[in-house]
Amino acid sequence: MSATGNVPFLDLVTPHLELEAELTSVFRNAVRTAGFIGGPVVEEFEREFAEFCGARLCVGVSSGTDALRFALMGAGVKPGDTVVTVPNTFIATTEAISQSGATPDFVDIEERTYTLDPEKLRSYLETGCRRDSSTGRLISNRTGGPVTAVIPVHLYGQMADMDPILDLASRYHLAVIEDACQAHGAEYFSSKERRWRQAGSMGHAAAFSFYPGKNLGALGEAGAVTTNDDGVARQCRMLREHGQSKKYYHDIEGYNGRLDAIQAGCLRVKLRHLTAWNERRRQVARIYDELLAKATGAITLPHVPRWSRPVYHLYVLRVADREAVQKQLAEAGIGTGIHYPVPLHLSPAYAGLGFRAGDFPIAEQAAATILSLPMFPNLSPESQGHVAAEMLRSTAIGVNAALTA
Ligand SMILES: Cc1ncc(COP(=O)(O)O)c(C=O)c1O
């Protein structure tokens, strides 16, 4: 809480000040060696981040959007294909699909986790698609294109229910690209494998964003693909570097999508703290859960299924009169957010896809009622008390009743 009693939505200054000496030395080292692009710092980060994710390989790229695009293309998605995802994600997920030449299609989310509903995916594949009799390929009835990949989004730091998604993907020969841009360190208990698996280790490839506000954020733009597949990694390495397999030998056309050495060095410094920061986020979430438990009639708190160990990139709850609550919190100096207010099938950017209101009711209901509270590792219990008191007040429960009951 600031001296004025305000609670920001996110505090990015404090953790960077705490690491100022180490972060500055990354810059100093880059200036002294002129090691700006590629080189050992990038390679070290890639090795360390792959290990953190429980994946064999990591390819550093220049953003989460590039990571998604390269992962899709590297996993074999071709122009004209159809790639299935959810409507309630950041637009980068679908931008990457379109930029790979494919068409996005959607299935609705599971109401309590806000992540891809495996049953809806099953029904999409069983009834929303047909087999082409000559090629045997699975064709989407809506887009007319072959369905070749699915992107489960681990939204807000919560894992999608991966076991049934992976089963369906294997039955229908779909590549699975995890959008793990909000889920660094999140874990999923695979009943099939009887073990916990990390975000970024389960699909054919996964995309991470290191946008500064993420659980692991760079000091600028950065991202990474993780994968266990050598072919996918090789393809992503070529795509990030103008399609070259070695300097000036261009096997394909690619992009300028590299992770630079300064960002990689800063990420290495911050990666050492990520587990502790994620644990702090979980504590912050537990405190919110307790403080707001009395208002569960008016507020829907985040749900954690038994198979999920989320990392709370965001703490998202639902309230009926969201605009009024948000306004009252703003008046009390509390920053909030809405992630995201317009489900993508209703966004003007996708008007051409022909979706209508009502096509994905769960995502639409969520978009109308979700509210993200301040969430960051160094959020103090005192600040959380202030946020919770204002939440209880604004949802007409009354802070006194809640505290004394
Ligand atoms: C779910 C999701 N996917 C993709 C991205 C894209 O990442 P970037 O902003 O690094 O391109 C983000 C980042 O905001 C995201 O939250």
Side-chain angles (χ1 to χ4, degrees), residues 63-65 68 89-90 92-93 153 179 181-182 209 211 214 222 340:
S63 68
T65 312
L68 279 166
T89 175
F90 183 54
T93 315
V153 182
D179 183 337
C181 287
Q182 301 190 1
S209 165
Y211 187 74
K214 296 293 198 266
Y340 298 91

Side-chain angles (χ1 to χ4, degrees), residues 23 28 37 55 85 114 148 271 297 331 337 347 350 400:
L23 293 170
R28 201 175 302 118
I37 305 290
T85 191
Y114 309 111
T148 54
L271 182 57
E331 281 163 10
S347 166
Y350 294 113
N400 290 336

Side-chain angles (χ1 to χ4, degrees), residues 69-154:
R69 180 159 41 114
F70 298 165
L72 285 165
M73 296 168 85
V77 169
K78 300 266 179 308
D81 288 1
T82 291
V83 176
V84 185
T85 191
V86 286
N88 64 320
T89 175
F90 183 54
I91 191 169
T93 315
T94 44
E95 282 175 332
I97 296 172
S98 305
Q99 289 164 8
S100 70
T103 303
D105 206 353
F106 299 108
V107 296
D108 212 343
I109 52 169
E110 200 278 313
E111 191 163 16
R112 294 197 301 170
T113 61
Y114 309 111
T115 59
L116 191 150
D117 184 335
E119 277 311 309
K120 305 242 171 67
L121 179 63
R122 180 190 310 282
S123 129
Y124 172 87
L125 295 168
E126 284 173 359
T127 62
C129 299
R130 65 196 145 79
R131 282 263 172 228
D132 181 299
S133 52
S134 54
T135 62
R137 302 187 84 181
L138 188 71
I139 304 294
S140 157
N141 293 337
R142 209 186 59 73
T143 67
V147 183
T148 54
V150 56
I151 306 185
V153 182
H154 305 319

Side-chain angles (χ1 to χ4, degrees), residues 73-375:
M73 296 168 85
V77 169
K78 300 266 179 308
D81 288 1
T82 291
V83 176
V84 185
T85 191
V86 286
N88 64 320
T89 175
F90 183 54
I91 191 169
T93 315
T94 44
E95 282 175 332
I97 296 172
S98 305
Q99 289 164 8
S100 70
T103 303
D105 206 353
F106 299 108
V107 296
D108 212 343
I109 52 169
E110 200 278 313
E111 191 163 16
R112 294 197 301 170
T113 61
Y114 309 111
T115 59
L116 191 150
D117 184 335
E119 277 311 309
K120 305 242 171 67
L121 179 63
R122 180 190 310 282
S123 129
Y124 172 87
L125 295 168
E126 284 173 359
T127 62
C129 299
R130 65 196 145 79
R131 282 263 172 228
D132 181 299
S133 52
S134 54
T135 62
R137 302 187 84 181
L138 188 71
I139 304 294
S140 157
N141 293 337
R142 209 186 59 73
T143 67
V147 183
T148 54
V150 56
I151 306 185
V153 182
H154 305 319
L155 200 70
Y156 310 148
Q158 166 96 273
M159 295 288 292
D161 189 0
M162 291 301 285
D163 274 352
I165 294 172
L166 289 168
D167 274 353
L168 286 165
S170 123
R171 189 167 335 143
Y172 287 90
H173 308 291
L174 309 179
V176 178
I177 308 299
E178 297 172 71
D179 183 337
C181 287
Q182 301 190 1
H184 321 66
E187 288 174 288
Y188 175 82
F189 187 78
S190 166
S191 315
K192 214 171 144 193
E193 296 183 32
R194 305 182 64 79
R195 64 176 174 127
W196 288 92
R197 303 281 311 260
Q198 283 105 311
S201 70
M202 300 195 72
H204 294 95
F208 287 88
S209 165
F210 304 124
Y211 187 74
K214 296 293 198 266
N215 290 31
L216 177 64
L219 274 60
E221 303 280 359
V225 176
T226 54
T227 181
N228 293 318
D229 183 317
D230 292 294
V232 172
R234 193 176 331 108
Q235 206 61 17
C236 289
R237 287 208 172 89
M238 287 208 290
L239 286 165
R240 76 174 170 183
E241 192 138 31
H242 301 288
Q244 63 185 25
S245 47
K246 62 180 180 179
K247 204 163 174 71
Y248 301 138
Y249 287 82
H250 306 278
D251 295 8
I252 51 171
E253 265 194 359
Y255 302 83
N256 179 351
R258 294 171 292 239
L259 169 67
D260 73 64
I262 292 179
Q263 296 306 339
C266 293
L267 286 165
R268 286 192 72 204
V269 170
K270 294 179 73 179
L271 182 57
R272 288 178 215 129
H273 301 271
L274 182 54
T275 300
W277 286 336
N278 281 343
E279 199 39 56
R280 269 294 304 149
R281 284 175 184 271
R282 290 182 178 129
Q283 277 167 16
V284 167
R286 271 197 292 276
I287 292 173
Y288 272 142
D289 288 348
E290 281 163 24
L291 291 173
L292 297 171
K294 302 277 185 328
T296 44
I299 301 174
T300 307
L301 296 176
H303 170 69
V304 182
R306 60 187 162 65
W307 41 259
S308 176
R309 275 189 198 141
V311 287
Y312 294 98
H313 172 57
L314 295 166
Y315 185 90
V316 179
L317 42 70
R318 289 171 76 163
V319 274
D321 198 359
R322 195 247 323 270
E323 269 62 39
V325 171
Q326 191 174 30
K327 183 162 171 282
Q328 188 168 326
L329 292 181
E331 281 163 10
I334 296 165
T336 56
I338 300 172
H339 301 86
Y340 298 91
V342 183
L344 292 174
H345 66 291
L346 300 180
S347 166
Y350 294 113
L353 295 181
F355 290 104
R356 299 222 173 93
D359 282 346
F360 303 104
I362 309 295
E364 290 168 32
Q365 283 153 22
T369 52
I370 45 175
L371 183 68
S372 310
L373 296 188
M375 164 55 80

